[in-house]
């Protein structure tokens, strides 16, 4: 049902300065993978066939290098009989080889909505997905596979959501919902980083960077008001809801690792290292022995 996905990575990464002067955010490591390679694995596991990356001149060469096989390095590892490292490299290359990627250079930052609108002529009337590499989801069933089950029946936009403590609501796009079934909700409204209004709540639903869209999203992006020169998907969806269009939310099953800011990224790196990394036992032992 969903064969195309947009991955917007044209942001300036100011929250990661000065590190982001050297490497753009999506190439930051999590364990021994990068955020973008983890997303590529998720895309493959979801059965999505075409990946459209909207990037900047800063990461264009990085993507070119990522997608090309380093035969010289591979030959060196073979000569040195470094089988463990070579196996990991081959496993990584197998993912990269299967990704059908088209890179689109966006010279001016226009927000996540602007990145999607930038590709309208390529997406045309197709349903499509959008994903952000700085939202890493560790899953048993891929998030988009979960969301496609809802989309198959409803044929309307589906937003991936998670629950967070209400005191953190000002950091996210918060969705007001009406429950339809287990993990399945009708979206009533979207508030972008609200400063108040959830003091009496224990938890709220927030948007995670996974979306499935129908092609009518383009008209709502075009008609939404830009903020600081950027078009936001959240604002376009809010207008869609106001106009009486149905938008749904699905509470994704999985472990959400946020990597959108320095603090979130460091927390997620530690969490990943202690829960999923092959060296987790020795890392935990080291942390227990620290005198801080």
């Amino acid at each position: 049902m969903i064969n195309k996905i947009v991955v917007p990575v044209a942001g300036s990464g100011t929250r990661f300065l000065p590190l982001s002067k050297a490497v753009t955010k999506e190439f930051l490591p999590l364990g021994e993978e990068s955020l973008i390679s983890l997303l590529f694995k998720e895309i493959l596991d979801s059965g999505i066939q075409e990946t459209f990356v909207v990037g900047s001149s800063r990461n264009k060469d990085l993507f070119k290098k990522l997608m090309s096989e380093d035969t010289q390095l591979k030959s060196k590892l073979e000569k040195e009989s470094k089988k463990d490292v070579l196996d990991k490299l081959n496993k990584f290359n197998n993912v990269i080889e299967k990704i059908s990627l088209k890179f689109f250079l966006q010279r001016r930052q226009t927000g996540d909505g602007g990145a999607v609108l930038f590709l309208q002529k390529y997406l045309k009337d197709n349903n499509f997905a959008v994903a952000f590499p700085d939202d890493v989801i560790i899953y048993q069933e891929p998030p988009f596979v979960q969301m496609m089950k809802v989309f198959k029946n409803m044929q309307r936009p589906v937003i991936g959501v998670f629950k967070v403590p209400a005191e953190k609501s000002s950091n996210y796009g918060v969705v007001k919902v009406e429950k339809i079934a287990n993990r399945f909700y009708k979206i009533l409204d979207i508030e972008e980083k609200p400063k108040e209004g959830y003091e009496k709540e224990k938890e709220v639903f927030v948007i995670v960077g996974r979306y499935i869209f129908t092609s009518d999203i383009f008209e709502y992006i075009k008609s939404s008001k830009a903020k600081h020169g950027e078009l936001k998907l959240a604002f376009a969806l809010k207008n869609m809801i106001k106009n009486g269009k149905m938008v749904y939310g699905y509470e994704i099953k999985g472990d959400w690792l946020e990597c959108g800011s320095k603090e979130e990224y460091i927390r997620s790196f530690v969490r990943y290292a202690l829960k999923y990394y092959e060296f987790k036992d020795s890392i935990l032992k080291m942390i227990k022995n620290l005198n801080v």
Side-chain angles (χ1 to χ4, degrees), residues 39 42 130-132 135 137 144 147 159-160 208-211 252:
L39 179 58
E42 182 185 326
V130 175
F132 295 87
D135 285 315
I137 301 174
F144 281 117
M147 294 166 65
I159 305 170
V208 68
R210 301 292 183 275
Y211 304 83
I252 294 171

Side-chain angles (χ1 to χ4, degrees), residues 67-259:
M67 301 306 293
S68 60
E69 187 175 358
D70 192 333
T71 52
Q72 189 174 357
L73 174 60
K74 192 172 180 180
S75 177
K76 182 176 184 292
L77 293 173
E78 288 171 347
K79 287 178 181 177
E80 295 175 357
S81 299
K82 293 185 176 179
K83 187 178 183 304
D84 289 347
V85 181
L86 187 59
D87 286 346
K88 287 180 180 180
L89 181 62
N90 286 333
K91 189 176 179 182
F92 173 80
N93 285 336
N94 285 338
V95 172
I96 297 302
E97 287 170 5
K98 291 174 184 175
I99 286 285
S100 174
L101 184 142
K102 294 183 177 71
F103 184 94
F104 295 85
L105 178 62
Q106 190 179 33
R107 299 187 184 280
R108 187 169 64 89
Q109 293 175 30
T110 56
D112 54 11
V116 171
L117 191 59
F118 187 68
L119 294 182
Q120 182 177 5
K121 69 178 180 179
Y122 299 98
L123 298 167
K124 298 179 181 177
D125 294 328
N126 293 288
N127 304 319
F128 63 96
V130 175
F132 295 87
D134 56 5
D135 285 315
V136 176
I137 301 174
I138 308 299
Y139 54 85
Q140 291 186 338
E141 183 180 40
F144 281 117
V145 173
Q146 299 176 44
M147 294 166 65
M148 283 179 202
K149 292 174 184 177
V150 173
F151 184 80
K152 181 180 179 181
N153 291 322
M154 311 313 292
Q155 292 294 304
R156 292 301 304 155
V158 181
I159 305 170
V161 299
F162 273 86
K163 285 180 182 175
V164 302
E167 63 264 24
K168 294 183 177 181
S169 60
S170 61
N171 297 325
Y172 304 95
V174 177
V175 293
K176 293 182 179 180
V177 302
E178 178 184 298
K179 188 171 183 178
I180 297 174
N182 185 38
R183 295 185 172 270
F184 176 32
Y185 300 87
K186 175 184 175 183
I187 304 294
L188 303 175
D189 196 10
I190 298 172
E191 292 186 79
E192 186 72 7
K193 298 183 178 180
K195 290 186 169 61
E196 56 185 22
Y198 297 94
E199 294 81 5
K200 294 181 181 180
E201 304 287 339
K202 287 186 178 180
E203 293 180 311
V204 293
F205 280 109
V206 301
I207 299 172
V208 68
R210 301 292 183 275
Y211 304 83
I212 296 176
F213 288 120
T214 48
S215 60
D216 57 345
I217 189 65
F218 296 122
E219 64 180 275
Y220 287 96
I221 295 173
K222 289 175 185 176
S223 63
S224 63
K225 189 176 179 180
K227 185 175 182 180
H228 306 303
E230 295 190 346
L231 295 168
K232 299 286 188 181
L233 290 174
F235 296 160
L237 285 164
K238 186 180 179 74
N239 290 339
M240 185 178 278
I241 295 164
K242 279 185 178 179
N243 202 33
K245 298 279 188 177
M246 298 295 290
V247 176
Y248 297 99
Y250 185 81
E251 185 183 4
I252 294 171
K253 297 176 188 175
D255 192 0
W256 179 23
L257 302 177
E258 300 176 69
C259 300

